[in-house]
Amino acid sequence: MVLLVQRLSKLYHKLENHYHHHHHHQAEVDALSASLQAFRSDVSNCVNQLLHPKPGSEILSFSWIQRCFELLPVINKAFLKLVGDIDYPLSFWDVASLDEYLNYGLHLLELLNCVTASLSHLAQARLSFAHALNLVESSPSTAIEHLKAIQSQSSSKDLKGLVRNKEGGEGKLSSCKERVVHEALMEVKSVGLWVFGVVLATLSGETKPYLEIKQVIVRFNSALLIDVDSCVFEVMVEKGETLKEVKELNSAANSLASAILSGKTSDAAMDFGGKLGVFEKEMDALEKQVDALFSSVLAARNELLNGVWQRKQ
């Protein structure tokens, strides 16, 4: 009888321990899930602000592109906050997640280089227009030659190849925290790459970069972009809209060319000069933003690499 009581008592303790362990584990899973949900909600709010351009601005304008780029540091900050909230510093991560994060940083740097190339194409057109404005009085026929509309630039770069990633990785996650980091990283990559697809398409006047990136991020299965992406798709692909400032500048250049032919240039030249001034100012601001982003992404990536290197020591 005593033996039976002892056995039952042992079994009871075993069950009680299992019950407490299970409940503690469940509480941890719930807390992690709540942290991931809060992160997704933060990112979603930031992304959906793009649906509301500032007054006087519109989707596919320089100021809207700047707002797209402003998302990148904000979302990275939200991601690092999540990593802090779940108490899972980078030094604890699996190699696969670290790799994923480092590769994402590398992709951003490569995509920023693509943006710089697109901007230099616009900068050349800007110079040609400025030259035309100087020649209106002295050499009208040469001025007309320089007033050719800014054309869309087709990129030979294969963005899908540029940002392609190794498949898999998800089945081998070592812990609940690792899974949270993995899922959050998929959201960060999804939004980050989408931003570049949209920006490169807007600057080049070609939908190809946007559609290519859409094909890449479809496997990340992110629900956060649905609203803003359907809006961009409608404006850019279905309606064929292009960058607002390019449209306005091309229209003013066309008017000035017509005015030169009819001999009444002063109003058209003033209007064109004004539009060109705005274009230059907006472009300079965007170039500064791109340079600053490149520096900060590079610095963060180097810091991370140093951390990884120290970990291996």
Side-chain angles (χ1 to χ4, degrees):
M1 184 70 186
V2 173
L3 203 61
L4 184 63
V5 169
Q6 280 177 336
R7 272 189 178 163
L8 282 170
S9 170
K10 258 185 184 168
L11 184 63
Y12 173 75
H13 277 299
K14 223 177 190 178
L15 283 169
E16 196 177 35
N17 281 342
H18 176 74
Y19 173 82
H20 281 302
H21 174 74
H22 175 73
H23 268 254
H24 174 70
H25 178 70
Q26 192 53 47
E28 186 192 17
V29 169
D30 290 348
L32 290 172
S33 179
S35 293
L36 182 60
Q37 198 43 51
F39 163 78
R40 281 190 168 130
S41 171
D42 276 357
V43 173
S44 176
N45 289 339
C46 294
V47 167
N48 285 328
Q49 282 173 13
L50 292 177
L51 286 166
H52 311 291
K54 288 174 178 159
S57 150
E58 59 186 67
I59 285 184
L60 310 192
S61 63
F62 274 134
S63 65
W64 189 77
I65 287 176
Q66 285 190 269
R67 287 179 64 203
C68 286
F69 275 148
E70 281 162 14
L71 278 178
L72 298 176
V74 169
I75 285 167
N76 196 49
K77 197 174 168 186
F79 174 67
L80 295 176
K81 178 184 182 297
L82 168 70
V83 169
D85 287 347
I86 65 171
D87 192 23
Y88 196 57
L90 275 69
S91 52
F92 290 9
W93 290 14
D94 286 356
V95 171
S97 294
L98 269 174
D99 246 11
E100 189 89 49
Y101 196 42
L102 281 166
N103 274 335
Y104 172 63
L106 191 59
H107 292 154
L108 291 188
L109 293 173
E110 287 170 336
L111 289 164
L112 282 162
N113 279 335
C114 295
V115 171
T116 301
S118 262
L119 284 171
S120 73
H121 170 80
L122 290 177
Q124 281 173 323
R126 179 176 91 173
L127 281 174
S128 180
F129 279 167
H131 189 47
L133 199 54
N134 289 331
L135 294 170
V136 168
E137 296 298 324
S138 60
S139 179
S141 57
T142 316
I144 289 176
E145 280 171 32
H146 283 283
L147 286 171
K148 290 192 173 70
I150 299 172
Q151 300 297 320
S152 60
Q153 37 173 328
S154 53
S155 165
S156 54
K157 232 183 204 350
D158 168 28
L159 289 186
K160 277 189 295 184
L162 184 74
V163 297
R164 186 169 289 130
N165 240 19
K166 299 189 293 288
E167 293 291 333
E170 196 175 338
K172 307 187 284 286
L173 301 172
S174 62
S175 67
C176 293
K177 288 186 175 182
E178 195 64 39
R179 177 167 291 279
V180 168
V181 163
H182 175 80
E183 289 192 16
L185 249 179
M186 291 304 104
E187 302 289 13
V188 170
K189 285 181 68 169
S190 190
V191 174
L193 296 179
W194 179 86
V195 160
F196 278 98
V198 172
V199 168
L200 285 167
T202 307
L203 290 175
S204 68
E206 288 272 328
T207 55
K208 182 175 167 256
Y210 165 66
L211 295 173
E212 281 190 348
I213 292 284
K214 261 171 82 73
Q215 285 181 304
V216 172
I217 64 177
V218 73
R219 67 185 185 83
F220 299 148
N221 232 344
S222 173
L224 303 184
L225 288 164
I226 288 171
D227 291 344
V228 70
D229 185 60
S230 64
C231 173
V232 168
F233 187 85
E234 185 191 339
V235 172
M236 189 187 287
V237 181
E238 290 173 3
K239 293 184 179 166
E241 288 289 340
T242 51
L243 184 63
K244 170 180 174 260
E245 287 81 2
V246 166
K247 268 190 312 198
E248 289 177 352
L249 198 53
N250 279 345
S251 167
N254 190 34
S255 298
L256 179 55
S258 302
I260 290 171
L261 290 172
S262 68
K264 302 191 186 85
T265 55
S266 63
D267 287 354
M270 246 173 86
D271 179 52
F272 181 67
K275 295 264 189 334
L276 188 60
V278 170
F279 189 82
E280 286 177 350
K281 209 174 92 194
E282 296 272 9
M283 244 189 89
D284 288 345
L286 188 56
E287 281 170 346
K288 281 198 180 83
Q289 187 185 27
V290 169
D291 289 347
L293 264 175
F294 193 93
S295 302
S296 68
V297 171
L298 188 61
R301 197 170 178 276
N302 287 342
E303 198 180 320
L304 184 58
L305 280 168
N306 284 338
V308 172
W309 186 75
Q310 280 163 3
R311 187 170 117 174
K312 285 181 177 168
Q313 295 298 298

